[in-house]
Amino acid sequence: MENVLRFVFTTLLLVWSSVAFSTGLWSIGATYFYTGRFTIESHHDVCEQPLNNRCVAHYEVRRPDGELDDFVPFIYQFDPSYLVEGWTFAKNRWGFSYEINGAQKPWPYFWSRVEWTLLGIGGLFVWYFVGGPGALKGWLRDFRRQVFSKA
């Protein structure tokens, strides 16, 4: 029974650490390579029916090519006082900051993404030093023995 619990613990640690690491790293990369530029034209709230108790701000923005588009910030990604009609938003590639109406700001949620990535790396180290590779190898050896010896 001890080997099963060790295997379950180390496998869950491996899976969750891998998910945290890869999600954080992907998100950091997506922020780093994202390029966007638009001017805010107007905004309106879209509320969930039937109670209208969950409203989300949608912004109509104009891209540099003149095309109108819908922009929905992620939860509290940008302070609502920064998304004012007529203001210009710009995010250049190769960085973790953006410019709104001429003011440089750090990209929202960046440090939480770094924390997720570091937690994932830490979890992978813990998995390794707790004996995760040995537990996985031992469980797979026992599993093979049980499956192929009955055939």
Side-chain angles (χ1 to χ4, degrees), residues 5-23 116-117 119-137 139-140:
L5 292 177
R6 183 176 173 203
F7 171 74
V8 169
F9 171 74
T10 57
T11 302
L12 287 175
L13 184 61
L14 175 65
V15 168
W16 284 111
S17 299
S18 300
V19 167
F21 172 71
S22 58
T23 303
W116 272 105
T117 305
L119 281 172
I121 291 171
L124 291 171
F125 277 122
V126 168
W127 174 79
Y128 181 79
F129 287 116
V130 167
L136 185 61
K137 190 187 314 181
W139 187 84
L140 288 173

Side-chain angles (χ1 to χ4, degrees), residues 47-61:
C47 298
E48 184 178 302
Q49 298 297 330
L51 301 177
N52 289 335
N53 61 348
R54 293 184 184 153
C55 297
V56 177
H58 283 243
Y59 294 87
E60 188 173 78
V61 298

Side-chain angles (χ1 to χ4, degrees), residues 10-141:
T10 57
T11 302
L12 287 175
L13 184 61
L14 175 65
V15 168
W16 284 111
S17 299
S18 300
V19 167
F21 172 71
S22 58
T23 303
L25 195 62
W26 176 85
S27 188
I28 290 170
T31 300
Y32 187 73
F33 293 114
Y34 173 72
T35 301
R37 181 176 297 277
F38 55 80
T39 303
I40 300 167
E41 296 287 319
S42 65
H43 79 278
H44 61 281
D45 289 334
V46 175
C47 298
E48 184 178 302
Q49 298 297 330
L51 301 177
N52 289 335
N53 61 348
R54 293 184 184 153
C55 297
V56 177
H58 283 243
Y59 294 87
E60 188 173 78
V61 298
R62 185 170 303 279
R63 303 284 177 187
D65 60 2
E67 181 181 331
L68 284 176
D69 200 2
D70 188 40
F71 174 71
V72 182
F74 174 71
I75 306 177
Y76 299 108
Q77 186 174 15
F78 299 102
D79 186 347
S81 64
Y82 294 151
L83 300 176
V84 177
E85 294 175 17
W87 283 17
T88 303
F89 170 89
K91 162 68 173 77
N92 294 326
R93 197 173 209 153
W94 321 116
F96 297 110
S97 64
Y98 66 97
E99 183 179 307
I100 188 134
N101 208 35
Q104 270 310 93
K105 303 281 181 193
W107 192 260
Y109 300 121
F110 173 71
W111 289 110
S112 64
R113 294 169 179 175
V114 170
E115 288 170 1
W116 272 105
T117 305
L118 293 176
L119 281 172
I121 291 171
L124 291 171
F125 277 122
V126 168
W127 174 79
Y128 181 79
F129 287 116
V130 167
L136 185 61
K137 190 187 314 181
W139 187 84
L140 288 173
R141 187 176 346 111

